[in-house]
Amino acid sequence: MFSRKIFGLACIASLACLTGCLGALPKSSTAQEYESNQRLQEIYEAQAGVFEGVLTQNPNNEPDRPVRLELFVTRQSNGRNEDGEEKFVPVLQATYRRLDVNDVRLRYFIKSVRYYEESGEMLMIVDDKTQGASPGEGYLAIQGRVENKIFTGSVVDHRGPQGILRLEKLASSRTEQ
């Protein structure tokens, strides 16, 4: 009788160990990719939105300039998985434009947006000679953060520092406007 109890306990312990071990097996790369993408999507969506406000403290004491910044989440190719299928990863991108000038050359599409989750800082850079009002004017850098639905930051272009941004979040996405 004592041996049957020990045998029963050994079976239960083995089953528990096996179940625990199976739970610890590595996830497939597709599952890992999905979970990673979901996490990034949530982080980036919290930052995304349509912001409008002013660029102040301009060089040469120019008047404040009304501007619009749109941060949005899209997908970018990130190589191939072990089955040869295309992998995509969520990325933040942006558009920036002055609202007081109706010149499409002063609208910037920003493909490079880096969000530092630890500090809440964002860095956006355009270095594209095809953008800007004149050839060679396609450099724009915006550094800032979103807190309490307000984006604050600074703008630098090919001429140097251009001022301080203070923009209010109007919507979480273009479709909410």
Side-chain angles (χ1 to χ4, degrees), residues 28 32 35 45 51 57 101 104 124 133 140 160 165 170-172:
S28 71
Q32 288 174 344
E35 285 181 14
E45 281 179 355
F51 299 83
Q57 300 177 14
V101 179
V104 294
M124 307 169 213
L140 178 77
L165 288 172
L170 303 178
S172 293

Side-chain angles (χ1 to χ4, degrees), residues 72-160:
F72 55 92
V73 183
T74 188
R75 299 278 175 151
Q76 191 172 66
S77 178
N78 192 27
R80 297 194 174 276
N81 65 18
E82 66 269 3
D83 296 328
E85 300 167 325
E86 192 81 22
K87 293 190 317 182
F88 295 94
V89 62
V91 294
L92 264 178
Q93 292 186 342
T95 59
Y96 174 82
R97 68 184 176 106
R98 287 180 45 188
L99 298 175
D100 61 334
V101 179
N102 194 18
D103 187 341
V104 294
R105 295 172 300 172
L106 294 176
R107 295 179 185 172
Y108 293 88
F109 174 61
I110 306 169
K111 293 188 263 186
S112 298
V113 177
R114 176 70 163 100
Y115 175 66
Y116 299 92
E117 185 179 12
E118 303 77 25
S119 66
E121 288 285 322
M122 270 185 248
L123 180 60
M124 307 169 213
I125 296 180
V126 174
D127 194 5
D128 181 351
K129 302 307 181 222
T130 65
Q131 296 192 55
S134 300
E137 293 183 356
Y139 178 80
L140 178 77
I142 300 172
Q143 185 170 359
R145 66 175 351 134
V146 177
E147 286 184 286
N148 300 318
K149 298 186 178 187
I150 302 291
F151 181 93
T152 54
S154 60
V155 177
V156 175
D157 70 10
H158 68 284
R159 299 168 292 179

Side-chain angles (χ1 to χ4, degrees), residues 8-21:
L9 289 173
C11 287
I12 291 171
S14 296
L15 183 59
C17 180
L18 183 59
T19 303
C21 292

Side-chain angles (χ1 to χ4, degrees), residues 13-65:
S14 296
L15 183 59
C17 180
L18 183 59
T19 303
C21 292
L22 288 177
L25 288 177
K27 296 180 180 177
S28 71
S29 65
T30 302
Q32 288 174 344
E33 176 186 349
Y34 178 80
E35 285 181 14
S36 174
N37 284 352
Q38 287 297 104
R39 182 179 175 282
L40 281 175
Q41 185 81 24
E42 289 172 11
I43 290 168
Y44 293 160
E45 281 179 355
Q47 303 304 311
V50 178
F51 299 83
E52 283 188 9
V54 292
L55 178 66
T56 62
Q57 300 177 14
N58 302 308
N60 304 321
N61 295 321
E62 296 174 19
D64 293 350
R65 298 179 193 144

